[in-house]
Amino acid sequence: MRVSTDRPVLITGGAGFIGANLAHHLIGRGHTVRVLDDLSRRGVELNLARLCAQHGDRIDARIADIRDRDAVRDAVQGARAVFHFAGQTAVTTSLVDPRHDFSVNAGGTLELLEAIRDLPVPPPIVFTSTNKVYGCLPGLALRVDGARWRPVEDEVQARGIDEGTGLAFRTPYGCSKGAADQYVLDYAQSFQLPAVVFRMSCIYGPRQQGTEDQGWIAHFLIRAIDGAPITIYGDGRQVRDVLYVEDLIDALVRAWTRIEVVRGHAYNIGGGPRCTLSLLELIDLIEQLRGARPEVRFEPWREGDQRYYVSDTRAFTAATGWQPRIAPRAGVEVLHGWLVERLASLANLTEVSRG
Ligand SMILES: NC(=O)c1ccc[n+]([C@@H]2O[C@H](COP(=O)([O-])OP(=O)(O)OC[C@H]3O[C@@H](n4cnc5c(N)ncnc54)[C@H](O)[C@@H]3O)[C@@H](O)[C@H]2O)c1
């Protein structure tokens, strides 16, 4: 359905991977979008430039920090919905500079909540938290099964990890996102804000600037395309459910439009048990896609890395009817194609500027 409205949807972190995909989607359906992003993540300026070139005055881009109180107060004015994605997104970076991580993820979220609390009619808010709030899942018994870890209990294997799992924040990133997650839920209770939390597993797709620190599917593909070795931390059997970004956009929009049903809840969001990959299985898939096996090097496990995490998404499905549709193989193929094209056009640009 196309809608025409001049009240913008605010996307914090809207130049980033998920934000730029959502902005593109919403503008295509007749919305105007306001982006608040400080462009601190390398490469996201290209996402924003492309959005502005494609959509012109349907996008209002504000280059500002989520901790900038005045900029945030200004940005929420008139917003019909708020998607809060701006954040420090890497566990590794959080271990190097926990203060910055806390200030952006927890402090920035509080600034946003306070700005929204002051509005006469607070708009729906969707916040993207992380599976890291469940820590390393110490009580989960696992066994090795070929190229992957798998739960010993069949029930967990069939359904994944649900929202009843105890919070066990690990790593500064887990703590800062977890604090923000709890603040959002509390503001839904204490101040009746129409807010919902997504605890997300691995999201992948076009517009992703994957690095070794975050966005592993895109990162592995980029290394393989560049002919560079891939470093795996741990044994490579760690398993994640993977969700293609279009399926996530569908979930985000459903959360907004069904906010009266989902407000005040946290939902585990990911590909679920039918869309999982271990790191070694992704290497196999890349070999099939490219006709050559990438070179792989192994390093010790990284702090806070879960050997197995698969979302139980049944609660969100029951509330909204949402189901992931894109299988990992199909999604990885699309991302591979997008990256090949993008890396080729970046190489051309470099050639032209050298020439
Ligand atoms: N991609 C995933 O797999 C995944 C999984 C779980 C949770 N999340 C969460 O979803 C959100 C979006 O993730 P993404 O993959 O699109 O990440 P991303 O890094 O591509 O996007 C985040 C954006 O926030 C911006 N940003 C960072 N610090 C900022 C600040 N101080 N002020 C304003 N903007 C700032 C960055 O420039 C970037 O454009 C993040 O909050 C992340 O923690 C993502």
Side-chain angles (χ1 to χ4, degrees), residues 14 21 41 59 76 115 157 159 171 198 200 226 245 281 304:
N21 277 288
R41 175 132 191 193
I59 183 152
V76 300
Q157 170 69 23
R159 298 192 158 157
T171 73
F198 277 15
M200 305 198 308
D226 284 347
V245 68
E281 288 166 354

Side-chain angles (χ1 to χ4, degrees), residues 177-189:
K177 293 294 282 189
D181 167 318
Q182 295 298 292
Y183 265 106
V184 172
L185 293 177
D186 183 68
Y187 269 53
Q189 300 301 327

Side-chain angles (χ1 to χ4, degrees), residues 221 224 281-294:
L221 285 166
E281 288 166 354
L282 178 61
I283 299 290
D284 290 344
L285 185 49
I286 293 174
E287 180 177 1
Q288 288 161 30
L289 280 175
R290 299 193 54 76
R293 192 164 182 83

Side-chain angles (χ1 to χ4, degrees), residues 13 15-19 36-41 44 64-67 85-89 104 128-130 173 177 200-203 208 214:
F17 159 49
I18 294 170
L36 183 142
D37 198 303
D38 70 351
L39 303 185
S40 55
R41 175 132 191 193
V44 298
D65 194 304
I66 191 69
R67 296 165 295 177
F85 306 145
Q88 191 301 109
T89 55
V104 173
T128 46
S129 177
T130 165
Y173 173 75
K177 293 294 282 189
M200 305 198 308
S201 187
C202 165
I203 316 297
Q208 190 163 28
Q214 200 245 358

